[in-house]
Amino acid sequence: MLSSIKSNVLQSESKKLAMMYFRVAIILFGAQLLFGLLAGLQFLFPGFLYGILDFSVNRMVHINALVVWMLYAMIGSVYLMLPDETGIETVGIGLGKLAFWVLTAAVTVVVLVYLLVQVGPGKESTIWLINEGREYLEAPRWADIGIVVVVLIFYWNVFATYMKGKRTGIMTVMVANLMALAGLYLAGMFFTDNISVDQYWWWWVIHLWVEATWEVFVGTLAAYALIKVIDAKREIVEMWLWIEVLMLFGSGILGLGHHYFWIGTPEYWWEIGALFSALEPVPLVAMFVHVLYDWGKEQGHTEAKGEKSAIKNGPAMAWITTNAFGNFLGAGIWGFFHTLPQVNIYTHGSQFTAAHGHLAFFGAYATILIGMMYLGIQEAYGIKRMKATFKSKMAIFLITFGVLGMAVALTIAGYEQVLVERAELGAGWQAFFTAQNLPWYVQAQVWREIMGLVTFVGFVYLLIDLLTIGKKEAAQGA
């Protein structure tokens, strides 16, 4: 992928910009895993890097790198699909490139401040120059404002291109969803001295992003990717996409009710929230199953005529398939289990939450974004049919196995926390530290670290594959 900077055959400036976003995204993905491994080690050896790179800093970089690499990959995916869906070059592409460099420079400065300065005094200057202290959205205020400007430029490019070119169902949903996604970020811009009010607004950004707009966003990418990879019928994928939008009001907004248990709202919200949050990934899985069923019938007719059929991008298809079922398992089933009020009263904020977070973010978002990167490489090298290599297979196997392993290990650690810390010892401060040192918890954290290493090895395979598969496949096809 990096080598395609000079050797790619892309004619579209929008697709070239997409590859620029993908390159930064994969670097940040690696950073997320590295800092996650460091934070995991500090669960086992609390004194490791103490005073140099504390757990709080490692965890902050780990989580923020996750959010930012996904935003980079999302923006890249949109720039990749815009020319295909609208039939024209992206409007304002020069401004889009300027925004990319501004965003990348800002992210670099923010990361350096996180690592070199780390914390500041409880003053306004800390909020403006170091970090705002909001989990997942720790960027300092100047970067916060910069992100809004960059996103406004991005949205203008998408909206203007949509208005000027073809208006497919996929793009209509995309444009409407991006407005909600960008608008929700503004809710997190408020800052008040009242921590409860501040957290209330932060909470809406994070949860309506992840449980509503990001889910619909993934639906548009899956719809586009299935058309590109297996020639899925547009009417089928767009039908399920509109159902996803319809369910947004139920699964996305009402689904938030599973958090209301903690803010004193009436009890009926518990069941409403648990039920609807579990329904979030259903339309995406249904879209995938319907498309595969229809594709299978078409392939049967094709082969009956003696014609050869094939998937146009093997690695992308593998990641899209993982997305469909990973989303259902991580966000749906695991989320439903964890957010039931009868369960959540004990598990909220424990390692159960971390297990759900790892599985849901990977299954619902990381998988489809990696698939989009493979689609970008295919276009960058002008490859008609791209097959999975040994490294492609090792990457998806090791990363998936590693993340599943981490989720299981964290679940075991969470079970011990719930049983000892909360049920037996009363959830006090001393109970927390007692539970942290018991064998089941420590052994689970050891396995979490081992599975984290497995994930990182898978990432190395993925990185090498992204760097080499395009050149190799192009040479074989020449």
Side-chain angles (χ1 to χ4, degrees):
M1 183 162 67
L2 294 177
S3 59
S4 71
I5 291 173
K6 293 183 178 178
S7 60
N8 74 62
V9 297
L10 290 172
Q11 300 299 313
S12 164
E13 292 299 319
S14 183
K15 291 177 184 277
K16 289 179 183 176
L17 181 56
M19 298 305 290
M20 292 163 67
Y21 272 102
F22 286 154
R23 287 175 197 120
V24 179
I26 201 70
I27 293 169
L28 290 171
F29 184 17
Q32 179 214 342
L33 298 181
L34 273 176
F35 282 93
L37 285 172
L38 288 176
L41 268 179
Q42 288 170 324
F43 269 104
L44 299 169
F45 309 103
F48 179 61
L49 293 179
Y50 179 71
I52 302 170
L53 206 56
D54 291 348
F55 173 80
S56 60
V57 177
N58 281 322
R59 183 177 181 274
M60 178 175 67
V61 179
H62 171 61
I63 291 175
N64 280 265
L66 160 75
V67 174
V68 177
W69 90 252
M70 288 189 173
L71 284 177
Y72 263 85
M74 286 178 177
I75 295 174
S77 299
V78 174
Y79 277 122
L80 183 73
M81 65 190 281
L82 262 178
D84 293 335
E85 286 295 307
T86 61
I88 61 171
E89 181 58 282
T90 299
V91 174
I93 196 67
L95 205 56
K97 288 182 179 178
L98 176 64
F100 166 81
W101 289 113
V102 169
L103 179 63
T104 304
V107 168
T108 305
V109 172
V110 169
V111 171
L112 288 175
V113 170
Y114 282 170
L115 296 178
L116 301 177
V117 182
Q118 299 186 3
V119 294
K123 299 179 179 178
E124 283 283 323
S125 58
T126 297
I127 295 172
W128 277 93
L129 301 175
I130 301 176
N131 78 61
E132 289 190 316
R134 293 182 171 117
E135 195 176 18
Y136 300 104
L137 301 172
E138 272 113 338
R141 180 52 55 93
W142 71 267
D144 230 6
I145 296 170
I147 288 170
V148 171
V149 173
V150 168
V151 170
L152 283 176
I153 292 172
F154 165 65
Y155 187 73
W156 163 251
N157 287 355
V158 176
F159 180 75
T161 309
Y162 168 75
M163 293 302 291
K164 188 176 178 182
K166 285 190 300 184
R167 299 176 193 175
T168 63
I170 292 175
M171 280 310 303
T172 301
V173 174
M174 174 66 79
V175 168
N177 187 59
L178 284 178
M179 181 184 288
L181 195 153
L184 282 170
Y185 188 80
L186 297 178
M189 298 284 287
F190 299 108
F191 182 81
T192 72
D193 292 333
N194 186 318
I195 191 69
S196 297
V197 175
D198 191 71
Q199 287 289 292
Y200 176 80
W201 288 106
W202 165 87
W203 182 81
W204 276 89
V205 180
I206 292 300
H207 289 87
L208 273 181
W209 256 13
V210 174
E211 306 202 27
T213 56
W214 282 29
E215 283 282 353
V216 175
F217 186 89
V218 164
T220 60
L221 295 188
Y224 167 78
L226 287 169
I227 292 173
K228 293 286 288 185
V229 175
I230 59 173
D231 291 323
K233 290 179 181 175
R234 183 174 288 274
E235 57 267 29
I236 293 177
V237 295
E238 290 190 346
M239 176 190 74
W240 284 109
L241 201 52
W242 284 113
I243 293 174
E244 171 78 9
V245 173
L246 184 66
M247 287 187 65
L248 164 70
F249 296 100
S251 61
I253 297 174
L254 293 179
L256 285 179
H258 67 257
H259 292 275
Y260 293 173
F261 173 79
W262 298 95
I263 59 175
T265 50
E267 291 185 5
Y268 55 76
W269 275 109
W270 304 354
E271 281 73 23
I272 292 174
L275 172 64
F276 282 97
S277 64
L279 294 176
E280 287 167 16
V282 169
L284 296 181
V285 177
M287 176 200 292
F288 185 78
V289 172
H290 192 165
V291 165
L292 276 193
Y293 172 75
D294 185 71
W295 179 74
K297 284 197 305 180
E298 294 296 325
Q299 292 307 296
H301 294 313
T302 302
E303 291 174 8
K305 295 176 186 174
E307 298 174 8
K308 190 177 179 181
S309 61
I311 295 170
K312 294 178 183 175
N313 190 321
M317 188 62 191
W319 283 104
I320 295 166
T321 306
T322 308
N323 170 258
F325 295 101
N327 196 350
F328 188 65
L329 175 66
I333 295 176
W334 220 114
F336 178 70
F337 158 68
H338 174 55
T339 55
L340 278 172
Q342 294 83 353
V343 175
N344 199 245
I345 188 174
Y346 295 105
T347 62
H348 195 90
S350 69
Q351 295 294 330
F352 270 103
T353 307
H356 171 47
H358 279 73
L359 203 54
F361 268 99
F362 171 73
Y365 307 119
T367 46
I368 188 75
L369 295 172
I370 295 172
M372 292 299 292
M373 291 180 189
Y374 275 107
L375 282 180
I377 290 174
Q378 184 179 19
E379 293 213 27
Y381 285 92
I383 304 164
K384 289 185 178 178
R385 295 189 190 282
M386 194 162 86
K387 298 177 183 176
T389 64
F390 174 75
K391 290 187 271 298
S392 310
K393 296 171 185 173
M394 287 299 290
I396 192 168
F397 170 73
L398 289 175
I399 293 177
T400 305
F401 182 71
V403 174
L404 281 172
M406 280 193 286
V408 171
L410 288 168
T411 301
I412 293 170
Y415 179 80
E416 190 270 359
Q417 264 188 306
V418 168
L419 187 67
V420 177
E421 176 194 326
R422 301 190 174 181
E424 292 185 3
L425 301 181
W429 190 238
Q430 187 57 44
F432 172 78
F433 286 105
T434 301
Q436 297 273 314
N437 292 305
L438 292 177
W440 278 73
Y441 185 89
V442 175
Q443 289 168 15
Q445 291 293 353
V446 170
W447 277 106
R448 190 271 284 273
E449 191 69 5
I450 292 171
M451 288 297 112
L453 283 170
V454 171
T455 307
F456 189 76
V457 173
F459 169 77
V460 173
Y461 271 106
L462 174 68
L463 181 62
I464 296 172
D465 197 44
L466 290 171
L467 288 169
T468 58
I469 188 171
K471 190 174 181 180
K472 181 182 175 184
E473 291 283 311
Q476 289 177 350

